[in-house]
Amino acid sequence: MAIIEVSGLRKAYGGKPAVDGVDFTVEEGEIFGILGPNGAGKTTTVECVEGLRVPDAGTVRVAGLDPVADHRQVTQLLGAQLQESELQAKLTVREALELYSAFYPKPADWRPLAARLGLEAKLSTRFAKLSGGQKQRLFIALALIGGPRVVVLDELTTGLDPRARRDTWSLIEEIRDSGVTVLLVTHFMEEAQRLCDRIAVIDRGKVAALDTPAGLIARSTATTVISFTPSRPLGDEDLAGLPGAMSVATQGDRIVINGTDDTVNAVITLLARHRVTAHQLRVTEATLDDAFLDLTENGTGAAPSGTTTPATTERV
């Protein structure tokens, strides 16, 4: 069942389209990701979902409600962490939680929420004294304190170190597992690939693709690369005709094959048949990075600012 429905969404600034006919639905209980280069229209899209922007055309519904016309009702069922969030420097964590609780007629109890997010020991700490990761945990708590059915997280982990980022990923998964639908805007390919059930790739104000992470990766033109050093030489005739193989090359004693998953299986079978051991075997698969670059205008250039490039997933 769709809890968010966006159809024909358009929004322009100064006559220049920022969002130009965006369509997607978000199913209740999923983590739905929005990816795109800088300036692609991601934040404008989610701000229309939140009711912070008025669309020029199209419709947006959250649980059947119009975020603009029914703004008061929508704020009771949708929590949001904005792309740029700040609190007063001297406000303590406890004061922030108590203040935001006062905005809702039936708020969640902030005490177990603070405990769940690891903020119990920081309740008396002023906002300015919190680390980046602790601030993000507080913003998650503030987004959840109204007991929302939907939470929007806009570039939540930007600026966090790798450990804090992975801790935050676990928190997002816990939020989804508690029954809350998550709309996640991110620049991090690894984050989207791990967390999202489905992803909309937005480029130049339009949805370039919408699929599961695996489905988007399957569209990539990137190949699977198999490389290894055989315990004894293999002849050209042994490597000829491998299914899905696009190229076979040697680099010294090392063999490098570009192909598909079928090629991987064929190579393993070949090695077993000839009783050859593959030393330093590496299988490098296409990633969401590859699919992103294929699908967006940045496909001929560098990845957008803020994008991680772990660009290989290896099986050994």
Side-chain angles (χ1 to χ4, degrees):
M1 178 179 177
I3 192 167
I4 298 174
E5 299 171 277
V6 177
S7 178
L9 179 64
R10 286 180 166 81
K11 181 69 179 177
Y13 302 108
K16 183 178 180 181
V19 177
D20 189 13
V22 164
D23 298 277
F24 64 84
T25 60
V26 179
E27 302 300 316
E28 191 156 16
E30 73 175 336
I31 299 177
F32 186 93
I34 296 181
L35 290 177
N38 288 330
K42 304 183 303 298
T43 294
T44 295
T45 297
V46 297
E47 286 179 347
C48 288
V49 172
E50 295 161 338
L52 300 177
R53 301 273 182 189
V54 179
D56 296 333
T59 60
V60 179
R61 295 291 182 269
V62 179
L65 300 170
D66 183 323
V68 177
D70 306 312
H71 188 68
R72 185 176 183 84
Q73 297 98 305
V74 169
T75 59
Q76 299 302 310
L77 60 86
L78 184 147
Q81 172 269 327
L82 304 179
Q83 187 180 82
E84 296 183 7
S85 302
E86 285 292 330
L87 295 174
Q88 291 181 327
K90 293 185 178 181
L91 198 68
T92 67
V93 171
R94 178 184 284 104
E95 289 169 340
L97 293 168
E98 290 176 342
L99 175 63
Y100 273 65
S101 291
F103 297 158
Y104 300 94
K106 295 181 180 179
D109 187 342
W110 62 261
R111 294 166 185 81
L113 186 59
R116 175 183 169 195
L117 292 168
L119 293 170
E120 272 187 316
K122 297 294 180 179
L123 291 177
S124 299
T125 303
R126 299 186 189 278
F127 180 77
K129 297 296 184 180
L130 297 175
S131 68
Q134 290 162 351
K135 287 179 180 178
Q136 295 297 51
R137 287 171 180 264
L138 176 56
F139 289 135
I140 292 174
L142 298 180
L144 294 174
I145 209 161
R149 292 172 60 189
V150 179
V151 64
V152 180
L153 305 175
D154 193 349
E155 298 191 24
L156 179 68
T157 60
T158 298
L160 298 185
D161 62 64
R163 182 175 297 280
R165 182 176 298 124
R166 289 180 181 275
D167 288 344
T168 303
W169 292 352
S170 296
L171 291 174
I172 294 171
E173 290 171 327
E174 288 179 20
I175 292 168
R176 187 266 311 279
D177 293 343
S178 71
V180 178
T181 302
V182 178
L183 181 57
L184 177 69
V185 181
T186 182
H187 267 142
F188 294 100
M189 301 297 117
E190 184 183 6
E191 179 169 286
Q193 189 167 342
R194 166 173 165 170
L195 294 176
C196 296
D197 298 297
R198 292 186 301 135
I199 297 170
V201 179
I202 296 180
D203 188 30
R204 291 172 289 176
K206 298 179 182 294
V207 175
L210 198 164
D211 208 334
T212 63
L216 292 175
I217 292 169
R219 303 185 192 190
S220 172
T221 58
T223 61
T224 298
V225 180
I226 309 110
S227 61
F228 61 94
T229 302
S231 57
R232 62 177 180 79
L234 289 169
D236 292 341
E237 66 280 2
D238 295 320
L239 299 170
L242 289 171
M246 300 170 192
S247 67
V248 179
T250 56
Q251 299 174 357
D253 294 334
R254 196 161 182 79
I255 296 172
V256 180
I257 304 167
N258 286 275
T260 65
D261 283 348
D262 289 339
T263 314
V264 177
N265 295 330
V267 168
I268 293 171
T269 300
L270 172 69
L271 295 172
R273 185 170 67 245
H274 290 277
R275 297 185 179 180
V276 172
T277 301
H279 298 292
Q280 296 179 319
L281 174 65
R282 296 289 183 270
V283 180
T284 306
E285 301 174 310
T287 67
L288 196 55
D289 262 9
D290 300 311
F292 180 87
L293 293 175
D294 284 345
L295 290 164
T296 65
E297 190 177 23
N298 284 42
T300 56
S305 173
T307 303
T308 59
T309 52
T312 61
T313 298
E314 291 189 345
R315 300 182 306 197
V316 179

